[in-house]
Amino acid sequence: MRISRCLACAFALAGAARAESAPEPAITPAVATAQVEPASAIAELPAIGNDPAVRVALRGTPASLPPVTAQIFRIGGRTEAEPLFQMSVGDPFYKSWLIGVRVEHHLDERWSLGVHALGGASSMSAPIEMCGGSACDAPAAARLRSTPGNIQLMAGLEASWAPLYGKLSLFGEKTIHFDAYVALGPEILRETIAPDAATASRGRFALGGRASIGERVFFSDNFMVRFGVSEVLYGSSVRGRTELERKLSIEGGVAWLFGGSR
């Protein structure tokens, strides 16, 4: 009886010890599942164009810059002096070669008033031929003395308006600044013409008007190149009759700016 009681106690103690040393059951890992945002949440995202960060990132990019940001070279309140050369084109009788000077004061960036004076000589236009009864020959100065266009002097006033200022980039290396202008004003000129083919030539003054269109190309604050096209209309006395003549010319020169402030 005592032996059986001892065996029962031993079995009980062994069972308790086995229960304490039994391994813990493995823990099944939880499976991570991604939660999908509903379509309504995606639709509520802000548009890219309204995102302040995107606007800051795009600021300053070439596509966002206007083509002309500012007028760098200022001419308002300054005086311009230009030695110039003028050559007439399309003359039926005489081609004029004149040199002179133009002085112009810029009232502001668009409007200016100027004065110019040119002097030189005229030569016979090469394509002209003189035809008689049956033959034609090259013109002689004596036989053309009663034809208009033999100009020796021009002078006039002009009011100029420059409506366009722009910049032109050459292959991204050099930027050319320019402004285009139109000008209009009265003109006085001296023409050498004979009353008829048998009379000697003499000089006479005539009144007219000049219309011009041109462009200034800036190279610095004080220096630029200027070129243009002008047409002078004036009244000429051809063999006792008054006729309206025109003188179409191309002109160009360099110019400097003085005084005032940029």
Side-chain angles (χ1 to χ4, degrees):
M1 188 69 179
R2 183 178 298 178
I3 293 174
S4 60
R5 188 178 296 174
C6 290
L7 291 173
C9 291
F11 288 144
L13 292 174
R18 186 168 58 252
E20 292 176 359
S21 61
E24 296 180 0
I27 299 174
T28 304
V31 178
T33 58
Q35 296 182 357
V36 180
E37 292 289 339
S40 60
I42 297 177
E44 294 174 0
L45 292 176
I48 292 179
N50 296 326
D51 190 349
V54 174
R55 291 200 301 269
V56 172
L58 291 177
R59 188 178 303 152
T61 58
S64 65
L65 294 176
V68 178
T69 55
Q71 182 170 344
I72 295 179
F73 297 105
R74 300 286 180 174
I75 58 177
R78 311 188 73 187
T79 300
E80 174 185 345
E82 176 198 7
L84 63 93
F85 169 77
Q86 177 179 293
M87 179 186 70
S88 63
V89 294
D91 289 301
F93 303 111
Y94 291 97
K95 178 175 290 187
S96 299
W97 310 80
L98 306 175
I99 58 174
V101 64
R102 175 189 285 120
V103 177
E104 189 168 349
H105 182 70
H106 297 274
L107 304 176
D108 55 25
E109 301 300 330
R110 296 290 174 262
W111 293 95
S112 60
L113 296 175
V115 59
H116 61 268
L118 303 102
S122 298
S123 61
M124 293 178 294
S125 297
I128 295 299
E129 291 185 348
M130 300 294 292
C131 297
S134 60
C136 296
D137 56 6
R143 301 177 67 181
L144 289 179
R145 59 174 176 256
S146 61
T147 58
N150 189 1
I151 305 298
Q152 280 77 44
L153 175 67
M154 285 187 178
L157 304 173
E158 57 186 339
S160 178
W161 176 48
L164 177 64
Y165 178 90
K167 295 187 287 186
L168 178 63
S169 178
L170 298 179
F171 308 105
E173 298 293 334
K174 178 68 176 179
T175 301
I176 297 178
H177 296 254
F178 63 90
D179 71 348
Y181 66 89
V182 293
L184 187 67
E187 192 85 4
I188 184 172
L189 52 87
R190 180 176 174 82
E191 178 186 42
T192 299
I193 189 171
D196 53 61
T199 308
S201 300
R202 62 186 182 186
R204 62 178 295 270
F205 286 94
L207 295 176
R210 176 188 291 260
S212 306
I213 181 171
E215 193 166 287
R216 300 180 185 90
V217 179
F218 297 88
F219 286 90
S220 70
D221 297 338
N222 302 315
F223 178 74
M224 57 187 156
V225 172
R226 180 168 171 172
F227 54 90
V229 178
S230 65
E231 185 167 43
V232 175
L233 299 176
Y234 67 98
S236 179
S237 178
V238 181
R239 299 191 178 186
R241 296 180 304 174
T242 301
E243 295 183 359
L244 182 64
E245 304 293 337
R246 66 179 184 87
K247 202 75 168 176
L248 179 64
S249 305
I250 57 175
E251 60 186 47
V254 296
W256 288 267
L257 291 168
F258 301 94
S261 59
R262 291 188 57 204

